Amino acid sequence: MKAWLLLLALTVASAQDELRFALHDEPKSLDPFLVADEPAEAIRYLTEGVLIRINRLSQQPEPELAQSWKISSDARHITFQLRSGLRFPDGSAFTSADVVATFEKLFDPALHSPVADTFRSEKGWPTVMALNPLSVRMDFPAPTGSMERLFDQVSIVSARAAQRPAPGLGPYVIAEHVPGVRFVLQRNPAAPRQPRIASVRIDIEQNRDLELVRFRRGEIDLIDKLTPDLFDRLNTELPGNAVDAGPTLDFEFLWFNMAQQAPLPDYKKAWFRSVAFRRAVSDAINRADLCRVVYRGHATPATGPISPANKLWYAPAPAPVFDPAAALKSLATEGFSNRGGTLRDARGNVVEFSILTNAGSKTRERMATMIQQDLAKLGIRVNVVTLDFPALIERITRSLNYEAALLGFVNIDSDPSALMNVLLSSAANHPWNPSEKSPATEWEAEIDKLMLAQAESADPRLRRKQFDRVQRILREQLPMICLLHPNALAAISARLDGVKPAASFPHTFWNFDSIAIRGLAPRNSSGTLRQ
Amino acid sequence: MHLLGKYGARVVALVLVAGLASAALARLAPGAAADERELDPRLSAETVAAMRANEEASHNLGRFLLHYARGLAHFQLGFSQSQNAPVRELIAERGVTTIRELGIALAAALAIGAAFAIPAARFRAARVYDASCAILAGVFLSVPAALLAYVCLVLGGSATLVLALVLTPRVFLFSRNLLAQAYGATHVQMAMARGVDEFRILLFYVLAPAAGAMLAMAAATATIGVGASIPIEAICDTAGLGRLAWQAAMARDLPLLVNLTMIVALATTLAMALAEFFAPREAIA
Amino acid sequence: MNRVRIAAIAVLATLALGALLAPVWARDSYQIQFREAPDAPPSWKFPLGTDALGRDRLTRLGYGARVSFLLAPAAALLTCLEAAVLGGLAGFAGRRVRSVVLFAADLFLTLPWLFLLIAVRACLPLNTSPEISVAITFLLLGALGWAAPARIICAAVGKLNRSDFILQARAAGCSPSRLLLRHLIPNVMPVLLAQFWIAVPVYILAEATLGMLGLGVSEPLPSLGSILRDLEGVDVIAQPWQLAPAIVLAVFAGAFQLVRPREDYSL
């Protein structure tokens, strides 16, 4: 009897010493080099060790597997001093050979790793060499600004690992994985930063209503990203548990298809290429209403792609304009006229276009509907088209058979180089005109020059000046009509201590070494780094 | 034997054609070869181009069918990109959930439906009871399965409960009519007039002759349950085949979609075949 | 006609009239957003409150019901026509034709048509108006829904084909086309009518399900499905007026159930 009671007590205790939350989808890949979606990034963040980790709150780099690092004055070399005494779960010592092997595998061109691409420049790949068992140097072919931030995404794997994922030096290891159902992670004794909670249970829960129901029942401790509706509902029922951490680094934006090869009538292409037209559309959109009505006040109107939460790179700018009268005047200068409530261009074509967005996102559908109403006041007819994601991607990246689109951009890193493959005119993800052979406009050529220059600059002040100029061009030319920055809305159980919601992903569990269960004595030292 | 062979051939043919048709549908639909990972801003132009080339190659219909046929010979059903797991494992895990869910829901629907139908069929004069049951059945038939699922979700119900609520009215209405006809038969009237025990009449004079039709109804109800499970599991977020089918459709996951279609085809045709076997041809088309 | 059926017809007529006359009784357009009052509770100005964008719920319900009540019967008619042709052919023409048609019907019952609906939506020209887009959705539902009714028509025609009066007509030298047009089809009409009555609420519910899954009508045109989708994330216990569209849908579909002749109830 006593044995059963002890077993029961231990079971209850271990269930208590467990952090529980949900992901909205099954990770597409558990290979840390191929992580490209949020669920996969969540698992990677909790199970893989990195040389440098970006503190999501301060947005500053912090040492993890690397004890320290030194960047050369020409920003071409970085030397790491690795932590000594660390061993992988298989017992082998962590040395520079593991770091070298990691990067050799990562930089394999056949792998097509998105993480690897952040290291690549036009001049080629960096090289890595071990200086001694605890020292590694990486040499870049060209100066690379803020290079230390790149290492936050690189999971260091053992040189002896036969496959990926393999137990590494992250805070947890995967103890159980039922595809589409759950993950169970256990504390990794080999990790230098020990989490305070022994295990993590992550359910795959697509239905957000159900997720909230489970949170209210106490079956889940955290919801990393709440929708505005559910946030307000939770805030009414359990005010202390709903946390608005302020603007994220993300932004929602609308853009017009300016690709030359787009299968659109020439007169429509002419509209979309006209900065006066884009400005008029931007001025006619009531961003304050979008924030207040769609996001229930949990968003900030945007003037550009950089969020006010980005302490390092945000450049204060005049508040976004809402001036339909000015919009009409701007259109009049281009020959547009409003006759009988319908806007027509100089040739008499009715101004009508469609806005494409993804089905299933209520916030985007509502924003598109509000924009439809705002532009109706100018006499512009807007059709809101919601498509499932694959069909949407096919249109905006391959066939280019669309007129305008409304999507969001998720920024994991605050550095402007994270926007390189969006702002460079030759990039495949350059939204308004992908994969340009040469910049179609002077301002795009200037953005290309400035973005490449800031990426290769070692001088933070010069980088700042160059990127400020990029932001100014974006505000003048409006190839992306930035609408708002959503806030980080989280649900945090009263059972937890030490959760500090941050602006970038993962918003709530980034500081795994500080989060604890209230009332439970820590099993070992509270998250300090091992020497 | 001949009948078995005939039905067997038909089932196999249907399953294969259904698989082929769903593969064609999936491949020809817009976005079949598109992957949202292409939108990752970290990717260089070369990597995006390489990803697209890979996607186009893996979505070549002929190549897929050949590869699938080869795999089928070794009981391999392919790999699901959207779920990051072999299709065989996924179906084995999720199939258990759906079969259990459907089994319980069907059993409950048959038991409850018949329990309400028997008094309605026996006591035709009890119009209030009959009308109330018909109205209640009508209400549940009139609410979309998706909405029922949502309301049950909010009230803490499960997918099994929703399925039972979807199936029970159908069972009730069919059973009531069938049993009413049976109770109206001359030999039953005669038995009642002779004072035969009610329970005996129900068991041997009413249910026994109607057993074939009831079994056929059960089979047909099962096919309705299979169809209803997709929106119900998608909304209730149950890890069953229905939700898997929904996810496969959204992600254009060709291997998963083909396999699931074939499973649905197999279940539906087996049920139809059972229904035809048990019931007179005129009653169940 | 019994009292229940009369009451059901009256309810149907009232709802249908109310929906069709929505442009007459609605004070404002279903598109107008009263942005200072999103998610407002019921009031004199907004008897059913407003939705998340401040649009009058009652007006949107009226227009949404109009879409469903107009197009669902059209889709059901299309289904019945297809079922009559294919099912009639299967029941009349002989074993081989019957096998082929029933095989096709089984195939249609098993394929993932949700997927086809997603695909068709994706293929439509981007500037297709919401009205045309929803009409195409119902047209597709109608075109794809022939399989189950066709099986029933096939069984009915098959049974009639073996009946005495048809045998007599055949023996008297009646041509196949005359048999079909003058004897079989008129006698199968009650079954067809029953299938029509069954199909209408089925298509209303199907569109509602599509709307709840995010595959419904484009904004700003409301439909019962898109209105029901707003129930996600809502506390229906604290805001019971939000269930009004669900009640209207249930009452309408329920009235259809009650209007159908009792002996025609089937699965």
Side-chain angles (χ1 to χ4, degrees):
Chain A
M1 181 65 174
K2 279 186 189 169
W4 281 108
L5 281 172
L6 183 61
L7 187 62
L8 183 65
L10 282 170
T11 311
V12 168
S14 66
Q16 284 182 341
D17 193 11
E18 183 176 71
L19 177 66
R20 303 154 307 174
F21 63 92
L23 294 174
H24 297 132
D25 217 339
E26 172 70 20
K28 293 211 169 20
S29 173
L30 293 178
D31 183 341
F33 295 167
L34 296 177
V35 161
D37 54 297
E38 229 170 58
E41 173 59 23
I43 300 297
R44 189 202 70 83
Y45 190 92
L46 290 172
T47 59
E48 300 290 339
V50 294
L51 292 173
I52 296 171
R53 206 178 281 273
I54 304 293
N55 180 309
R56 281 0 189 210
L57 208 57
S58 66
Q59 294 166 18
Q60 296 296 334
E62 289 177 349
E64 189 162 296
L65 297 182
Q67 192 169 277
S68 63
W69 62 90
K70 193 173 171 195
I71 299 173
S72 62
S73 54
D74 63 355
R76 287 189 58 194
H77 313 279
I78 180 166
T79 307
F80 293 99
Q81 189 60 34
L82 304 178
R83 253 175 232 293
S84 62
L86 294 181
R87 289 191 171 273
F88 283 97
D90 65 2
S92 57
F94 166 60
T95 67
S96 54
D98 299 303
V99 177
V100 171
T102 295
F103 281 100
E104 272 170 10
K105 289 172 193 165
L106 183 66
F107 291 161
D108 178 3
L111 192 60
H112 302 305
S113 163
V115 180
D117 276 356
T118 58
F119 285 82
R120 189 158 73 164
S121 69
E122 285 187 349
K123 297 202 173 112
W125 295 94
T127 53
V128 189
M129 73 169 89
L131 300 175
N132 61 55
L134 286 178
S135 184
V136 173
R137 194 178 81 206
M138 181 176 278
D139 302 317
F140 287 79
T144 305
S146 297
M147 64 169 75
E148 71 276 17
R149 305 187 75 86
L150 299 174
F151 296 90
D152 175 77
Q153 300 274 298
V154 180
S155 308
I156 303 299
V157 299
S158 167
R160 285 150 293 283
Q163 61 185 21
R164 294 185 305 272
L169 293 168
Y172 294 98
V173 289
I174 299 174
E176 185 190 337
H177 173 212
V178 180
V181 181
R182 72 175 160 273
F183 285 85
V184 176
L185 313 180
Q186 295 291 345
R187 187 192 279 132
N188 180 4
R193 276 176 74 186
Q194 284 288 300
R196 294 176 73 178
I197 298 177
S199 73
V200 181
R201 183 192 161 104
I202 306 171
D203 293 326
I204 310 296
E205 190 72 79
Q206 289 197 321
N207 190 310
R208 287 173 193 250
D209 284 302
L210 191 58
E211 191 186 17
L212 186 66
V213 165
R214 294 185 63 198
F215 178 84
R216 289 210 302 269
R217 281 194 215 139
E219 293 168 21
I220 284 176
D221 300 314
L222 284 178
I223 301 179
D224 199 63
K225 265 186 177 179
L226 270 172
T227 62
D229 302 356
L230 295 180
F231 178 88
D232 278 357
R233 209 165 130 195
L234 183 66
N235 206 22
T236 313
E237 294 162 12
L238 298 166
N241 295 124
V243 176
D244 181 345
T248 57
L249 301 180
D250 311 336
F251 61 95
E252 298 285 314
F253 67 111
L254 172 77
W255 78 92
F256 289 99
N257 184 357
M258 293 193 257
Q260 180 60 40
Q261 67 272 39
L264 300 175
D266 288 340
Y267 64 87
K268 287 199 178 184
K269 288 184 188 175
W271 299 345
F272 303 152
R273 289 199 194 121
S274 156
V275 66
F277 182 84
R278 295 195 300 271
R279 175 152 308 288
V281 167
S282 177
D283 288 352
I285 295 173
N286 192 332
R287 289 167 176 76
D289 272 2
L290 293 179
C291 294
R292 185 174 54 80
V293 175
V294 177
Y295 282 82
R296 298 175 179 240
H298 303 294
T300 308
T303 50
I306 302 300
S307 162
N310 189 336
K311 298 165 191 167
L312 305 168
W313 295 98
Y314 175 67
V321 169
F322 171 57
D323 192 344
L328 274 169
K329 274 195 198 133
S330 173
L331 287 168
T333 62
E334 295 281 303
F336 290 91
S337 57
N338 189 326
R339 292 175 233 161
T342 302
L343 192 75
R344 289 175 190 272
D345 67 7
R347 290 215 177 115
N349 297 303
V350 171
V351 180
E352 179 177 4
F353 60 85
S354 55
I355 296 179
L356 215 56
T357 192
N358 56 308
S361 169
K362 271 178 153 180
T363 46
R364 286 198 190 126
E365 287 173 29
R366 285 173 183 168
M367 280 200 289
T369 309
M370 289 183 73
I371 292 170
Q372 185 184 47
Q373 279 288 282
D374 287 341
L375 297 182
K377 291 174 188 155
L378 298 184
I380 297 177
R381 281 188 217 162
V382 171
N383 297 303
V384 174
V385 179
T386 55
L387 293 179
D388 58 302
F389 228 84
L392 178 80
I393 293 169
E394 206 267 336
R395 278 192 188 255
I396 63 175
T397 62
R398 286 175 167 77
S399 66
L400 301 180
N401 186 1
Y402 74 100
E403 291 166 340
L406 193 161
L407 282 178
F409 186 89
V410 175
N411 246 326
I412 289 185
D413 189 17
S414 53
D415 194 88
S417 293
L419 289 169
M420 187 70 77
N421 286 327
V422 173
L423 296 179
L424 270 188
S425 61
S426 57
N429 283 320
H430 189 57
W432 60 91
N433 194 354
S435 308
E436 292 175 54
K437 292 198 169 40
S438 61
T441 58
E442 280 176 19
W443 56 268
E444 282 178 284
E446 196 182 346
I447 289 178
D448 282 358
K449 204 171 97 184
L450 289 164
M451 284 301 293
L452 290 168
Q454 66 79 35
E456 291 182 1
S457 172
D459 180 354
R461 266 183 291 215
L462 181 61
R463 286 190 78 207
R464 178 69 199 235
K465 194 172 159 197
Q466 285 161 339
F467 191 65
D468 279 355
R469 175 74 192 127
V470 168
Q471 291 186 71
R472 238 185 343 268
I473 297 173
L474 290 173
R475 277 198 299 275
E476 285 162 11
Q477 297 297 330
L478 292 169
M480 301 191 297
I481 298 173
C482 296
L483 300 171
L484 49 85
H485 303 286
N487 285 7
L489 304 175
I492 302 168
S493 167
R495 188 174 166 253
L496 297 179
D497 217 356
V499 178
K500 292 177 190 160
S504 59
F505 185 82
H507 302 282
T508 50
F509 53 88
W510 61 273
N511 58 332
F512 49 81
D513 51 344
S514 306
I515 300 173
I517 310 283
R518 267 189 229 278
L520 265 187
R523 292 266 175 88
N524 57 13
S525 64
S526 54
T528 50
L529 286 167
R530 297 200 324 212
Q531 297 308 309
Chain B
M1 201 62 201
H2 168 73
L3 213 62
L4 211 63
K6 184 181 137 196
Y7 276 131
R10 189 178 149 152
V11 167
V12 167
L14 198 74
V15 167
L16 289 175
V17 172
L20 192 65
S22 70
L25 263 178
R27 183 58 193 95
L28 297 171
D35 188 339
E36 59 184 275
R37 285 176 292 187
E38 287 174 32
L39 297 181
D40 190 330
R42 295 171 298 176
L43 294 174
S44 65
E46 291 86 351
T47 304
V48 170
M51 278 175 77
R52 285 184 189 167
N54 276 346
E55 286 292 323
E56 293 289 339
S58 67
H59 276 83
N60 179 290
L61 187 61
R63 211 174 290 173
F64 165 76
L65 290 171
L66 199 63
H67 187 71
Y68 181 74
R70 276 199 206 130
L72 210 55
H74 301 285
F75 301 108
Q76 296 298 326
L77 302 178
F79 189 85
S80 164
Q81 294 290 340
S82 64
Q83 302 299 310
N84 195 30
V87 173
R88 196 170 71 174
E89 272 178 35
L90 285 169
I91 288 175
E93 280 162 16
R94 311 290 182 94
V96 168
T97 307
T98 298
I99 289 170
R100 186 174 53 231
E101 195 177 88
L102 263 174
I104 296 172
L106 192 60
L110 289 170
I112 297 170
F116 277 91
I118 291 168
R122 172 66 181 92
F123 306 107
R124 298 307 302 273
R127 291 184 196 278
V128 174
Y129 173 79
D130 192 29
S132 312
C133 290
I135 288 169
L136 196 62
V139 166
F140 281 108
L141 279 174
S142 308
V143 177
L147 180 60
L148 263 180
Y150 177 71
V151 172
C152 282
L153 187 74
V154 167
L155 298 173
S158 65
T160 309
L161 174 65
V162 181
L163 264 172
L165 288 174
V166 167
L167 299 178
T168 304
R170 288 166 170 82
V171 171
F172 165 75
L173 290 172
F174 185 82
S175 307
R176 183 195 61 180
N177 291 345
L178 185 69
L179 296 176
Q181 279 180 25
Y183 266 110
T186 332
H187 69 285
V188 175
Q189 297 292 318
M190 176 83 105
M192 282 179 191
R194 283 194 291 116
V196 175
D197 178 54
E198 279 285 354
F199 187 68
R200 201 180 159 75
I201 288 176
L202 175 65
L203 221 50
F204 297 110
Y205 291 75
V206 174
L207 286 177
M214 295 286 278
L215 281 168
M217 175 205 59
T221 309
T223 64
I224 295 172
V226 166
S229 69
I230 295 178
I232 289 171
E233 285 186 5
I235 290 172
C236 292
D237 222 11
T238 311
L241 291 178
R243 189 177 93 175
L244 199 59
W246 173 250
Q247 288 167 336
M250 287 293 116
R252 307 281 200 274
D253 193 330
L254 199 53
L256 203 46
L257 213 51
V258 167
N259 283 293
L260 287 171
T261 305
M262 288 167 73
I263 287 171
V264 168
L266 186 64
T268 309
T269 38
L270 280 177
M272 296 285 194
L274 274 171
E276 276 190 41
F277 181 74
F278 285 123
R281 275 211 183 151
E282 302 85 82
I284 301 285
Chain C
M1 203 188 285
N2 67 36
R3 270 178 261 169
V4 172
R5 281 187 82 198
I6 293 170
I9 290 171
V11 164
L12 270 180
T14 310
L15 284 175
L17 212 60
L20 291 169
L21 294 176
V24 173
W25 56 259
R27 194 180 16 215
D28 299 299
S29 163
Y30 58 80
Q31 302 181 58
I32 294 184
Q33 299 165 8
F34 297 93
R35 294 182 185 179
E36 67 284 357
D39 281 322
S43 60
W44 279 115
K45 191 175 179 192
F46 306 117
L48 283 182
T50 60
D51 68 3
L53 297 183
R55 298 174 295 194
D56 184 353
R57 255 187 230 285
L58 181 63
T59 302
R60 286 182 68 76
L61 181 58
Y63 277 90
R66 196 160 164 248
V67 165
S68 297
F69 297 172
L70 276 176
L71 292 176
L77 191 64
L78 178 63
T79 294
C80 288
L81 282 171
E82 284 183 288
V85 168
L86 291 167
L89 195 66
F92 184 72
R95 198 175 287 178
R96 273 207 191 129
V97 174
R98 182 172 184 270
S99 297
V100 168
V101 172
L102 290 183
F103 184 87
D106 285 348
L107 187 64
F108 262 69
L109 286 171
T110 56
L111 284 177
W113 293 120
L114 185 68
F115 198 73
L116 178 67
L117 284 163
I118 295 170
V120 167
R121 265 175 72 95
C123 287
L124 284 177
L126 291 178
N127 284 311
T128 305
S129 69
E131 290 83 6
I132 293 178
S133 166
V134 74
I136 290 174
T137 303
F138 273 99
L139 194 75
L140 258 181
L141 286 173
L144 297 172
W146 65 271
R151 290 182 75 91
I152 292 170
I153 303 298
C154 171
V157 168
K159 191 175 172 183
L160 273 173
N161 216 12
R162 291 186 289 277
S163 61
D164 291 339
F165 75 97
I166 294 291
L167 279 172
Q168 189 174 17
R170 238 191 227 123
C174 204
S175 68
S177 54
R178 194 181 162 83
L179 262 177
L180 198 61
L181 291 168
R182 292 297 296 267
H183 298 286
L184 285 170
I185 289 177
N187 281 291
V188 141
M189 283 306 283
V191 181
L192 264 174
L193 196 62
Q195 291 306 305
F196 175 82
W197 283 117
I198 290 169
V200 173
V202 164
Y203 290 142
I204 294 176
L205 295 175
E207 190 280 323
T209 304
L210 284 174
M212 289 194 75
L213 292 171
L215 301 170
V217 175
S218 315
E219 290 283 1
L221 186 67
S223 74
L224 286 174
S226 59
I227 297 170
L228 285 172
R229 198 165 160 241
D230 288 343
L231 284 175
E232 277 177 33
V234 162
D235 186 352
V236 294
I237 295 165
Q239 300 173 17
W241 58 86
Q242 301 237 18
L243 285 171
I247 293 168
V248 164
L249 177 62
V251 167
F252 187 81
F256 256 96
Q257 306 283 349
L258 293 172
V259 161
R260 269 163 40 199
R262 279 244 306 250
E263 53 276 15
D264 290 323
Y265 278 136
S266 60
L267 288 171

